[in-house]
Amino acid sequence: MSNRRHLMGMNDVDRADIERILETAAGFEDVVERDVKKVPTLRGRTVVNLFYEASTRTSSSFELAAKRLSADVVSVKSSGSSVDKGESLKDTIRTLNAYKPNIIVIRHPHIGAARLTARWSDAHVVNAGDGKHQHPTQALLDLYTIKKRLGRLDDVKVVIVGDILHSRVARSDIEAFQMMGLEVTLIGPPALIPPGIVEATGVKVTDDPEAMSEADVIYVLRMQHERMEPGQNYLPSLREYARVWGVNARRVRPGQVVMHPGPMNRGVEIAPDIADSGVSLVENQVEAGLVVRMAVLYDLMTRPSIGTVIDIRERTGEWGAA
Ligand code: CP
């Protein structure tokens, strides 16, 4: 397939790309509210969703997004596939590529897996999360959610609270938020803040939970145990973490909203009374995921300017891929 475009990370898009995708997503709101929730935009096109890691929101919304656009969809989870018999990523990609998909959406625990997918296939590739590196469609849907609720992006103050070190969401969000004029502060235990992040990005960093009081948006992250080094003591205990940095009714002041990419660990990083309250945008984020992913699929198939062609910028040696 000639003229392929990919969405590997937030450095594949600029401000104009993001504005266009958010506008397209807003246009799709009408489609998902109709009785017949389908448009023929991608009829005859094929989307493969290939997930090597657990997912509820990203996998279901990409599948539904492709179906809402009338694409043919093949969803493969590594568990239960021939990956269990030892098939390599390359052979899996070459196998699925034989069906001539237009787009491959991939989630994988290893940084760079999406880039390899672009190399080994003829499809446009979307990174649905690679290790602790990037999760660009999460950042796009987060921007969409904030803009929809607050009516603006410029000068919105966001605090991202929690396990920044192991978070691909934080990496993509920081880039996306800064590109769109939001002010970002990171809050968490020092052991869970990536070294060099201030120098690399210009964000503010603090371990003082009182800094949450300054924000318009409190963005809460879960402890990502699956990506933590065995034997490392990042925290005294989860109980201590919840007591100091947990987001609860005592922390949230009037006018603030709370976001979380999910899945939530209630009672650890977020208290149930906040998760279930009107200040929580968690379900709004899930709703946004559908229209934003429809917009990304549409944009990849129809526009010339999103992403890059194979020439994906390497990030080794900086905080983003440490
Ligand atoms: N936010 C997010 O990526 O959720 P899932 O792991 O459920 O896809």
Side-chain angles (χ1 to χ4, degrees):
M1 192 184 297
S2 61
N3 197 24
R4 288 188 301 145
R5 294 175 298 281
H6 311 297
L7 182 58
M8 300 287 164
M10 289 313 300
N11 67 349
D12 282 333
V13 289
D14 60 19
R15 195 178 164 111
D17 293 322
I18 292 174
E19 282 168 354
R20 186 184 64 246
I21 290 167
L22 299 191
E23 201 173 309
T24 306
F28 283 134
E29 292 254 6
D30 169 52
V31 175
V32 301
E33 293 301 329
R34 291 180 200 166
D35 277 351
V36 179
K37 299 174 172 50
K38 226 173 174 66
V39 285
T41 316
L42 296 188
R43 191 162 55 201
R45 314 293 181 126
T46 302
V47 176
V48 168
N49 294 320
L50 178 57
F51 278 69
Y52 279 77
E53 269 190 343
S55 171
T56 298
R57 284 147 282 267
T58 313
S59 58
S60 60
S61 59
F62 264 117
E63 179 166 340
L64 203 49
K67 287 177 173 170
R68 294 278 189 259
L69 296 172
S70 301
D72 297 317
V73 186
V74 179
S75 294
V76 178
K77 296 197 187 299
S78 59
S79 175
S81 75
S82 287
V83 174
D84 285 347
K85 301 176 195 164
E87 190 158 55
S88 68
L89 176 63
K90 183 172 184 175
D91 285 341
T92 302
I93 298 296
R94 296 302 301 162
T95 298
L96 295 169
N97 190 60
Y99 301 129
K100 302 186 174 19
N102 299 92
I103 298 175
I104 298 177
V105 177
I106 180 163
R107 170 171 288 188
H108 200 282
H110 293 297
I111 292 171
R115 189 167 58 82
L116 291 172
T117 303
R119 187 172 296 160
W120 294 330
S121 77
D122 300 309
H124 306 280
V125 175
V126 181
N127 181 4
D130 62 333
K132 62 182 181 182
H133 184 212
Q134 285 281 314
H135 193 354
T137 57
Q138 178 71 46
L140 292 168
L141 76 87
D142 288 337
L143 284 171
Y144 186 88
T145 305
I146 294 169
K147 188 169 182 194
K148 190 169 172 183
R149 173 55 72 101
L150 301 188
R152 69 185 209 284
L153 292 173
D154 259 336
D155 296 328
V156 169
K157 290 186 175 62
V158 183
V159 292
I160 304 179
V161 186
D163 179 5
I164 317 288
L165 183 65
H166 302 99
S167 175
R168 57 192 173 210
V169 173
R171 284 164 173 76
S172 289
D173 272 354
I174 290 166
E175 286 184 56
F177 291 172
Q178 290 187 324
M179 212 184 306
M180 300 309 286
L182 291 78
E183 193 182 295
V184 182
T185 301
L186 309 181
I187 303 177
L192 292 175
I193 303 291
I197 196 166
V198 174
E199 296 76 4
T201 67
V203 290
K204 292 181 202 154
V205 172
T206 178
D207 63 358
D208 181 2
E210 292 297 330
M212 289 183 220
S213 67
E214 301 298 316
D216 300 302
V217 177
I218 301 176
Y219 195 103
V220 190
L221 296 173
R222 110 189 129 82
M223 290 293 138
Q224 286 137 105
H225 297 287
E226 72 276 21
R227 291 198 273 277
M228 291 185 180
E229 298 281 340
Q232 286 274 348
N233 289 323
Y234 297 97
L235 301 166
S237 69
L238 284 183
R239 197 177 160 144
E240 179 73 1
Y241 178 84
R243 192 182 65 76
V244 178
W245 289 283
V247 175
N248 52 38
R250 198 169 40 84
R251 284 266 170 246
V252 180
R253 63 168 173 74
Q256 290 184 312
V257 292
V258 176
M259 298 174 68
H260 191 304
M264 293 185 281
N265 288 318
R266 288 165 179 259
V268 180
E269 73 271 8
I270 188 166
D273 56 352
I274 288 297
D276 297 330
S277 74
V279 304
S280 165
L281 299 188
V282 172
E283 285 178 23
N284 306 71
Q285 289 171 270
V286 176
E287 281 178 18
L290 177 57
V291 290
V292 165
R293 287 173 175 131
M294 287 170 76
V296 166
L297 297 177
Y298 172 81
D299 207 279
L300 280 173
M301 291 304 306
T302 57
R303 306 272 182 176
S305 60
I306 189 175
T308 55
V309 181
I310 297 295
D311 179 26
I312 309 303
R313 275 172 271 178
E314 299 281 1
R315 289 162 181 244
T316 48
E318 62 172 277
W319 70 276

